[in-house]
Amino acid sequence: MKAQLCREFGAPLSFEDVPEPVPGPDEVLVDVRAAGVNFPDGLMVAGTYQVKPTPPFSPGSEVAGVDRATGERVMVFCGTGGYAEQVAVPRWRVHPIPDAMPFTEAAAFPVVYGTSWHGLVDRAVVKPGERLLVLGASGGVGLTAVQLGVALGAEVVAAASTPAKRALCTAFGAHQALDYAELAGAFDVVYDPVGGAVAETAVRLLAWGGRYLTVGYASGTIPKVGLNRVLLKEAGVLGVLWGEWARRNPAHNAANVARLLELYTEGRLRPHVSATFPLADAAAALDSVMSRTAVGKVVLTVGED
């Protein structure tokens, strides 16, 4: 089979023929039809992510395809190995998808929706009527937080850097979309996949008893926040590491995924796949995500949908 390999941290990906994976006990072999491209994929390839696979490895944490044994259409959180024509994964990572769900949308679903649901529901416990600020709101994970915030009954304020990105957030349900320089008021929950200097502003904007969710650092800078500001608001700073949480809580995660797919079937969630690339062009797809030029999700296509 064909796969994209990282043979050395920081080096270009290599598109190669590799042996087909052999599933072990309680594993599923999936013929991949599409693979989501995520910011952590690029960090893994660069060797700067908190999880460092041993080269050579194939990046790619989420795929959609067909269970080789049963013919069932599925989506998978695989962690690594997704930029390939087949992947073998533990059964708990595999979730059936609705018949009407395209593989490209299914491959854009597990990581970003799983992360946002875990952050907003399991960690922050967002309540109807609360004011939610989403930073980096036009990105792959940010746009899902906008949609889920609306579905949970929150007042959603989206922060994004350009008029086009803010218009996209509004189109996906944000009640208000602002430039970072315009942020003001008080927020019950802040959802932050960006980090950097804007995080300091966001912490200052927390309401009394507010919850700040640190999801990632797309800015490239891990923020340093004065804990006195947390104390003065009696606020909470909550980490959101969905992949590890899902590994530790597979039954709870399966219930979350089932609820998310219900919302999808009801038409309340719309994965925004802004670009697709063939598997052979994974380097270009990854560059579009790492340079933050992509909006919504970027997906690799493999074979036929």
Side-chain angles (χ1 to χ4, degrees):
M1 71 167 188
K2 288 285 190 181
Q4 293 280 359
L5 294 183
C6 172
R7 290 202 164 274
E8 181 181 348
F9 291 132
L13 292 174
S14 177
F15 194 42
E16 302 182 19
D17 288 303
V18 299
E20 184 175 298
V22 177
D26 205 34
E27 285 193 332
V28 175
L29 181 63
V30 175
D31 291 318
V32 177
R33 295 291 180 264
V37 180
N38 293 286
F39 197 83
D41 298 347
L43 297 180
M44 284 188 189
V45 170
T48 57
Y49 195 54
Q50 54 258 40
V51 177
K52 289 184 171 61
T54 303
F57 68 92
S58 177
S61 55
E62 60 184 348
V63 303
V66 178
D67 181 332
R68 174 75 67 86
T70 66
E72 188 173 37
R73 302 171 76 251
V74 297
M75 66 182 183
V76 176
F77 169 60
C78 48
T80 58
Y83 294 4
E85 292 179 331
Q86 287 95 31
V87 62
V89 293
R91 191 170 300 278
W92 71 264
R93 294 178 179 264
V94 179
H95 305 278
I97 60 174
D99 291 340
M101 191 179 205
F103 285 125
T104 49
E105 291 191 358
F109 204 89
V111 169
V112 288
Y113 283 103
T115 296
S116 291
W117 183 269
H118 175 53
L120 295 176
V121 176
D122 296 324
R123 300 293 280 149
V125 195
V126 170
K127 302 175 184 65
E130 288 194 309
R131 201 161 186 244
L132 167 66
L133 171 61
V134 180
L135 306 179
S138 67
V141 72
L143 203 58
T144 63
V146 168
Q147 294 178 60
L148 288 172
V150 172
L152 294 167
E155 178 191 344
V156 178
V157 177
S161 58
T162 69
K165 290 180 177 180
R166 293 191 288 273
L168 178 68
C169 296
T170 303
F172 275 78
H175 299 97
Q176 193 175 14
L178 301 175
D179 184 82
Y180 290 100
E182 300 174 314
L183 294 177
F187 297 91
D188 300 291
V189 178
V190 173
Y191 185 95
D192 182 11
V194 178
V198 70
E200 299 175 28
T201 300
V203 170
R204 286 197 298 271
L205 295 175
L206 283 170
W208 176 262
R211 291 89 77 202
Y212 171 87
L213 297 170
T214 177
V215 182
Y217 310 107
S219 68
T221 303
I222 298 174
K224 294 178 174 60
V225 176
L227 290 180
N228 62 313
R229 298 192 179 279
V230 178
L231 182 151
L232 292 172
K233 302 290 183 70
E234 203 171 60
V237 177
L238 303 170
V240 180
L241 191 61
W242 168 75
E244 177 61 19
W245 174 87
R247 185 187 70 80
R248 293 168 179 261
N249 301 275
H252 191 164
N253 182 64
N256 286 358
V257 172
R259 179 58 184 141
L260 286 165
L261 288 173
E262 287 177 359
L263 291 170
Y264 172 87
T265 302
E266 293 166 6
R268 299 173 69 186
L269 301 181
R270 291 185 291 149
H272 180 57
V273 178
S274 60
T276 60
F277 293 77
L279 179 62
D281 293 341
L286 192 56
D287 181 66
S288 72
V289 172
M290 301 309 292
S291 64
R292 298 181 65 189
T293 58
V295 294
K297 285 284 289 191
V298 173
V299 171
L300 302 176
T301 55
V302 186
E304 298 181 359
D305 192 336

